[in-house]
Amino acid sequence: MPFRDAIREMSGFHRDEVTTPNPPIASSVPVSSSSSPPRSSGGGRGMMDRMADAGGNLRLRRNEMKLRPEDPYLSYYDVCVTKEDIDCLKGDWLTDNNISFWEEYLEHEELLKHPNNKVMLLRPSMVFLLKNTKDPLTLESALPDVKKASHIFLPINDCRNPSIAEGGTHWSLLVVGVSDRVAFHYDSLSPANCGEAREVCKKLGVLLGFSLQFSDLEDTPQQDNGSDCGVHVCWAMKHLLVKRLLAVEREKEVQMSLRGKRVDATGSRKDMFKICEGLRKKASRSSSPRTSKHDGKDSPPRIGDD
């Protein structure tokens, strides 16, 4: 069953439901001549229209006030970021698109530097589909082949009603070490999403053909407000990917605990915004016919191949 057909069967699905799935496998994890992946173990629109003010908040310039929330801002490979998504970076809950964009960014800017490895970043829509299906085996043709991955990153959302678009109130992160048959859950409001993460873990195990040992890592850095859960997920995703899995040689054991780490949510929001602005600048400078023949908010600058 094609991915688009699968999600269309669930009415009112997440906004990124109509995007194409991420590539079957995104390259990653440390490069070496060995074929064994590192082992995982748990231990407990205008250029620069937004600027940071002295209080650390993002300020909106006058010429961007014309854009509506649903207007496109930037198309990055398979993800079209809207003005609403950009606005969320000011201090609101991150949307599915924010997290999908971040996964696209990590795939193209980090994982492709390690072409011999196999880390998979599943999109929020795929994870939501997996969580809400009764029989995971019916999704084998709709999802990437998880059996070929060394590690799988899954953003978890607590929405249980597929009829509510952009439903749910909390994000967390599940990271699966396929070779070690383990799954680590990082929840910045622990144990808020523990039940949802266990459910996804169980259904992913069905697709893999074996059970996964689930660990809810209680030493995960905790958020200090009610809106930074998505930022924590994006921070943890990059840290675990770049500083852990991609930073060691194959066959080495990787410590996957985040104990003692501190998350600068405000700084992370600014960094994500700067990345979006940088990509938008790059796309706007492009001389490709695709970007030069369109204008305005109806056709945002694009990055990536057709």
Side-chain angles (χ1 to χ4, degrees):
M1 179 190 302
F3 178 71
R4 292 180 186 226
D5 293 342
I7 56 179
R8 282 170 181 163
E9 291 184 2
M10 308 176 70
S11 60
F13 200 61
H14 290 258
R15 184 177 60 235
D16 61 344
E17 64 188 25
V18 295
T19 63
T20 55
N22 48 301
I25 291 282
S27 309
S28 75
V29 209
V31 176
S32 84
S33 58
S34 171
S35 60
S36 302
R39 296 181 57 82
S40 308
S41 64
R45 269 155 281 217
M47 301 310 159
M48 295 307 293
D49 281 344
R50 297 181 187 281
M51 303 293 288
D53 61 24
N57 298 314
L58 293 173
R59 191 169 63 240
L60 189 64
R61 284 189 178 177
R62 184 176 304 170
N63 61 339
E64 196 176 85
M65 296 290 280
K66 300 176 183 178
L67 293 174
R68 299 165 299 178
E70 67 273 17
D71 286 336
Y73 185 84
L74 171 71
S75 288
Y76 185 69
Y77 290 89
D78 289 332
V79 177
C80 182
V81 178
T82 68
K83 180 180 179 295
E84 177 188 13
D85 302 319
I86 295 297
D87 286 346
C88 288
L89 295 177
K90 292 191 294 182
D92 205 347
W93 286 298
L94 298 195
T95 65
D96 288 22
N97 261 11
N98 289 131
I99 294 180
S100 292
F101 163 81
W102 192 243
E103 290 180 311
E104 289 267 4
Y105 176 77
L106 291 177
E107 284 178 350
H108 292 284
E109 304 299 329
E110 297 293 345
L111 296 185
L112 290 182
K113 298 175 184 177
H114 304 267
N116 297 326
N117 297 277
K118 298 179 176 66
V119 167
M120 181 181 292
L121 308 182
L122 283 185
R123 302 296 183 263
S125 57
M126 296 179 179
V127 180
F128 185 77
L129 183 63
L130 178 61
K131 179 167 72 80
N132 286 278
T133 187
K134 293 182 179 179
D135 182 4
L137 294 178
T138 62
L139 301 178
E140 283 188 299
S141 62
L143 299 177
D145 188 352
V146 294
K147 294 180 181 179
K148 293 182 179 180
S150 62
H151 296 79
I152 307 173
F153 284 64
L154 305 95
I156 306 294
N157 190 278
D158 62 353
C159 179
R160 288 185 170 272
N161 188 348
S163 67
I164 302 177
E166 294 295 332
T169 60
H170 186 51
W171 290 105
S172 61
L173 177 65
L174 185 69
V175 179
V176 172
V178 177
S179 299
D180 299 311
R181 302 189 177 189
V182 294
F184 303 124
H185 183 224
Y186 304 87
D187 193 337
S188 59
L189 280 179
S190 182
N193 271 7
C194 188
E196 284 77 8
R198 285 184 181 274
E199 187 174 352
V200 172
C201 182
K202 181 178 179 180
K203 291 179 177 178
L204 181 61
V206 174
L207 288 175
L208 290 170
F210 50 78
S211 298
L212 295 166
Q213 180 182 342
F214 179 86
S215 295
D216 189 45
L217 301 185
E218 297 179 354
D219 54 6
T220 299
Q222 299 293 286
Q223 63 192 84
D224 56 12
N225 60 26
S227 59
D228 282 342
C229 54
V231 179
H232 275 247
V233 165
C234 291
W235 176 89
M237 197 180 295
K238 182 176 181 179
H239 182 83
L240 293 170
L241 191 63
V242 177
K243 301 296 185 180
R244 304 294 177 85
L245 295 178
L246 300 179
V248 301
E249 297 179 359
R250 286 177 175 266
E251 298 187 46
K252 299 292 185 179
E253 185 172 284
V254 182
Q255 177 55 252
M256 297 295 283
S257 169
L258 294 177
R259 179 179 312 203
K261 294 297 179 181
R262 179 182 174 274
V263 179
D264 178 6
T266 299
S268 294
R269 287 179 182 273
K270 291 180 182 178
D271 289 342
M272 294 175 72
F273 170 74
K274 289 178 181 178
I275 288 171
C276 288
E277 284 296 291
L279 291 171
R280 185 172 169 83
K281 278 186 175 181
K282 178 180 178 181
S284 295
R285 289 195 300 263
S286 172
S287 59
S288 102
R290 180 185 56 208
T291 55
S292 60
K293 68 181 180 181
H294 296 301
D295 63 349
K297 59 193 178 185
D298 292 329
S299 298
R302 291 189 54 86
I303 289 287
D305 298 327
D306 284 319

